[in-house]
Amino acid sequence: SRHGGRVRGFPHERGNWATHVYLPYVAQEEFLELLELLVSHARTYVPSLAAMEEFHLSLSQCVVLRYHWIEPFVRSLRERLAAFHRFFCVADQVKVYTNQNKTRTFIGLEVSAGHFQLLELVSEVDGVLEEFDLPTFYKDPSFHISLAWCVGDLSGRLEGPCLRELQDIVDRFEDSAFLLRIQWEQIRCKSGNKYFSFPLR
C-alpha cells in the first residue's frame, strides 16, 4: 500500500541495487499547468490515474547492480558520456504505454525531434551495461517523459478518443511549442538511494 499498488519488477535481495540511467527534467510552472489539464481530462476515462511527481526520460531499463559494481559502473559511464554536448528535444506527442509485465499503464509525451542524439546516448549507456553483462535498452525505443500512471493494463480505455482529446489539449496549450522544446543539460544515474550526475558539455 505504501507504493500505491506498484509491484517490483524483480525481488529485493540484500546487496542488489536497482539502477537506472536517465535524463532528468525539471518541470516549470507552465508544464505543471499542462500536466494538470491532461490528468484531470484523462481521469474522466480512468479515475485512478496519478500524476508523476518527478519527470525524466529513460536511457536504460531498470537493472540490478551488485553493490561493489556501482563505482566501476559509474566510472565507465562518466568516461563514455564525457564527450556529449547539451542538446534539444521536442516531446509533444501524447502516447499510452504499459510496462513489460502489464502491471502499470502510463501516459507520456513522446519525443518527435532529437531522436538521433538520444540513440547516440543509449548506444554508449548500452556499452557500459554490456561490460557488466546487464540487459541493454529496448531495440526500437519510444523515448518519452511519463506524465501519469495507474495500476493494471488500462491502455484500452486511454487509447482512441481519450488519446486524441489529450493531444488536442497539448496542441492548443499556449506556448506548447516553446514549452515542450527541452534542453538536456545532464545525465543522471540512480542506484538504490545514490545519485550520480554527468553534466553535458
Side-chain angles (χ1 to χ4, degrees):
S1 64
R2 270 190 327 188
H3 302 287
R6 286 172 291 178
V7 179
R8 269 185 181 277
F10 41 80
H12 174 68
E13 263 181 57
R14 194 181 169 88
N16 277 356
W17 290 53
T19 303
H20 178 220
V21 183
Y22 59 95
L23 292 158
Y25 173 61
V26 180
Q28 307 300 316
E29 199 176 323
E30 296 93 331
F31 183 86
L32 296 174
E33 284 172 21
L34 174 59
L35 175 72
E36 198 175 318
L37 282 174
L38 292 169
V39 172
S40 60
H41 187 80
R43 279 187 184 136
T44 62
Y45 290 86
V46 175
S48 61
L49 267 178
M52 304 296 283
E53 288 168 15
E54 291 183 348
F55 306 94
H56 67 265
L57 188 148
S58 292
L59 298 173
S60 80
Q61 299 186 56
C62 190
V63 297
V64 179
L65 266 187
R66 301 296 292 168
Y67 178 76
H68 59 276
W69 288 352
I70 295 172
E71 214 173 293
F73 183 86
V74 168
R75 193 165 53 241
S76 190
L77 271 179
R78 201 174 294 286
E79 286 166 8
R80 281 180 173 265
L81 299 172
F84 280 91
H85 291 262
R86 296 176 180 195
F87 66 98
F88 284 97
C89 268
V90 177
D92 59 359
Q93 299 301 303
V94 186
K95 199 162 172 186
V96 176
Y97 298 90
T98 54
N99 61 355
Q100 277 179 305
N101 45 10
K102 306 284 187 193
T103 56
R104 293 171 78 192
T105 305
F106 298 85
I107 294 173
L109 284 174
E110 187 183 31
V111 166
S112 62
H115 204 79
F116 176 73
Q117 290 96 325
L118 292 169
L119 285 173
E120 285 195 315
L121 283 177
V122 165
S123 173
E124 294 301 333
V125 174
D126 276 353
V128 178
L129 292 164
E130 283 167 347
E131 283 175 41
F132 290 82
D133 208 17
L134 292 166
T136 54
F137 205 40
Y138 308 108
K139 277 291 157 264
D140 188 16
S142 168
F143 294 110
H144 64 280
I145 298 169
S146 291
L147 302 176
W149 66 280
C150 61
V151 173
D153 181 0
L154 299 181
S155 53
R157 289 199 221 165
L158 292 167
E159 282 164 350
C162 177
L163 193 58
R164 287 193 293 276
E165 290 156 19
L166 295 177
Q167 188 64 56
D168 276 350
I169 291 171
V170 169
D171 295 343
R172 288 201 313 266
F173 193 76
E174 191 180 0
D175 291 335
S176 70
F178 169 75
L179 178 63
L180 300 176
R181 185 173 183 263
I182 299 161
Q183 184 178 36
W184 302 112
E185 299 188 349
Q186 62 165 307
I187 297 160
R188 202 171 280 168
C189 174
K190 179 179 189 286
S191 192
N193 57 3
K194 295 175 183 284
Y195 288 87
F196 305 91
S197 284
F198 314 95
L200 294 167
R201 291 166 63 184

